[in-house]
Amino acid sequence: MTRQRPPFPAVLDSTTMAAFKSCPQKAYLEFMQHWKLRDQSVHLHAGAAYATGIEKARVAYYIDGRSPEDSLALGLKALLTAYGDFECPPESAKSAERTAGALEYYFSQYRLGEDKAIPMTLPGGKRGIEFSFLEPIDLTHPVTGDPLLYSGRMDMMCEYEGMHLGEDDKTTSQLGASWPRQWDLRSQFTGYVWGAAKAGIKLDGFLVRGVSILKTKYDTLQAITYRPQWLIDRWYEQLIRDAKRMIQAWESGYWDWNLDHACAEYGGCPFKSVCQMRDPTPLLEQQFQRRRWDPVARTETVQVD
């Protein structure tokens, strides 16, 4: 593959770093050259619409003072608008109707006005719904010399059973005994707790709520995962080491392949077929599109060369 050195990002986030740690070549293709599959994942699309619905319902209830019923109705409308005319694959349960049903199910299990997880009131009086941060880390950009930035956005910061917790809502295809345990060392949440602390907000850990969407039923589980300071410190040290390795890959123009289990994780890497070809350029141009991920705005923009 022809090697051209693309711009190094000014902002890092958990999504970019997870891709790099899984496989540097994947991070290069996805976040440096900005190749994304033309056909968006139904899991990502439905999950984003679901998150939009939950946020709208919470804002309507906790900030605008609407009734639980009106808040849910506004959440459903926002979800369906965000889902739009996306065509759900027939084999998937995450259609617009089923995803909207998941939102109704969520608020039947965690009822507005009865939910023990209540959005925190932050300094200045703002409620802790959709909290975002953008903080410098102790590493400089290889071109500008400015501090590299790390960003994140959590669904909610809440008071729960006497604790201050971040909160994250996830959709999944199934829940089981191992589901709650997968979050204990998840860098996404450790970084969120670090970012909140930078803003002067001490969180004890994270409340993770999952709703499984099947064609015939829904289910839910929640887990609390704690983040003591020593664990946050270790995460930060590793972030710096990983970001240094990313800069070294960028400077050398060589991004390692992880030719092992990473190729088959989470249903398979989208670039597996690319890595199986001596010259992947025709495949990239046919099946992929260049869309730049903005970790601050959490949006993708089509790139026109």
Side-chain angles (χ1 to χ4, degrees), residues 110-262:
Y110 310 109
R111 294 180 181 275
L112 292 167
E114 300 176 19
D115 192 350
K116 294 182 180 180
I118 301 172
M120 291 169 54
T121 299
L122 305 180
K126 184 180 178 181
R127 299 302 292 266
I129 300 173
E130 284 284 337
F131 174 79
S132 301
F133 66 87
L134 181 66
E135 296 288 344
I137 63 175
D138 297 314
L139 202 60
T140 57
H141 191 279
V143 175
T144 67
D146 295 329
L148 278 173
L149 303 174
Y150 189 84
S151 74
R153 183 167 72 180
M154 66 186 82
D155 293 334
M156 180 169 65
M157 292 195 293
C158 65
E159 298 176 5
Y160 182 84
E161 301 283 9
M163 297 177 288
H164 287 167
L165 302 173
E167 193 268 352
D168 193 78
D169 298 294
K170 294 188 179 294
T171 59
T172 183
S173 298
Q174 65 179 34
L175 296 165
S178 63
W179 186 87
R181 297 195 294 268
Q182 67 181 297
W183 315 116
D184 288 337
L185 293 173
R186 185 61 63 93
S187 287
Q188 175 190 8
F189 299 141
T190 315
Y192 288 174
V193 174
W194 173 84
K198 287 292 185 179
I201 303 165
K202 175 70 169 65
L203 297 178
D204 300 303
F206 245 80
L207 172 65
V208 192
R209 286 176 169 172
V211 168
S212 59
I213 305 177
L214 305 175
K215 289 196 174 183
T216 58
K217 67 174 184 176
Y218 302 104
D219 199 1
T220 185
L221 278 177
Q222 64 177 24
I224 296 177
T225 176
Y226 298 98
R227 293 297 187 272
Q229 188 59 48
W230 68 264
L231 190 60
I232 298 170
D233 293 342
R234 186 174 70 183
W235 166 85
Y236 182 76
E237 180 180 356
Q238 189 62 53
L239 170 68
I240 298 299
R241 293 178 65 88
D242 292 334
K244 284 181 178 178
R245 288 194 299 118
M246 185 182 289
I247 291 173
Q248 290 170 356
W250 179 83
E251 289 176 338
S252 69
Y254 189 91
W255 300 77
D256 289 315
W257 280 263
N258 182 1
L259 302 174
D260 210 312
H261 57 85

